[in-house]
Amino acid sequence: MERPSKDKIDRIIREKYSVSLMSDTKWEKIIDRVTDVVGEVFVNYKLIYSEEVYDSSLDSSDFKPFFIEPTLYKEVEWLEFPYSYCAPVNRNNLKAGTKTYDQDVAAIKDVLDMIGRFDLEQSQAGLKIYGYR
C-alpha cells in the first residue's frame, strides 16, 4: 500500500474520526516506559488509511515524529499488545522456523496505569490502546 501524503492523512483524520486521543508525546511515553519496564514488546497496530493489521516488536520508541519509520504516530489508529504472538525462533536464522510466545499484558497494563489514563480495550486477544475514535 502506498503511504498517503501528510495532507491526505490530515483529511482522513478530520473526516473519519470525531476525537483524537493520543499525541506523538503520549505514544512515545507509552513505548519508552513499557519497554523500559517490561523489555521488548510485540504489538499489532492498525493505520488510519488501511484495513490491514500490521505487527512489529518494539524495544524503544523511534525518532520523533516516527512510530516506525516511515510511519508517523498520527497514522496509528490503534496499537494492541497481544497475549501471545508468533515470531521467529532466531532472528538471525529465519529458516529455524517460528514459535508462539506469551506476553505479560498484565505487566504492560500496570505500566500504562502508572503513566495515565488512556482509551483502552481489553479482549481475549490482548490490550488495545486507541489513538482515534
Side-chain angles (χ1 to χ4, degrees), residues 21-67:
L21 302 163
M22 297 293 283
S23 65
D24 292 2
T25 303
K26 287 179 184 178
W27 281 124
E28 191 174 76
K29 189 175 190 178
I30 285 171
I31 294 167
D32 284 339
R33 292 264 177 91
V34 168
T35 56
D36 283 349
V37 174
V38 178
E40 185 174 19
V41 293
F42 188 87
V43 297
N44 298 318
Y45 61 95
K46 183 182 172 305
L47 303 177
I48 61 170
Y49 48 80
S50 174
E51 292 306 311
E52 188 172 344
V53 175
Y54 302 92
D55 60 53
S56 184
S57 59
L58 302 172
D59 59 6
S60 66
S61 59
D62 206 338
F63 298 102
K64 266 188 183 176
F66 299 107
F67 167 60

Side-chain angles (χ1 to χ4, degrees), residues 17-21 131-133:
Y17 303 100
S18 59
V19 71
S20 174
L21 302 163
Y132 299 98
R133 287 288 201 165

Side-chain angles (χ1 to χ4, degrees), residues 68-117:
I68 299 171
E69 196 169 358
T71 303
L72 302 169
Y73 284 109
K74 70 192 290 179
E75 296 175 65
V76 179
E77 181 177 342
W78 53 257
L79 179 140
E80 178 183 57
F81 297 99
Y83 288 108
S84 62
Y85 59 93
C86 191
V89 172
N90 182 332
R91 289 183 192 164
N92 297 320
N93 180 6
L94 298 181
K95 291 181 182 181
T98 60
K99 172 181 168 182
T100 299
Y101 296 89
D102 292 326
Q103 183 160 242
D104 189 354
V105 175
I108 293 168
K109 183 167 184 337
D110 288 345
V111 173
L112 295 175
D113 289 343
M114 287 188 290
I115 296 170
R117 292 177 48 137

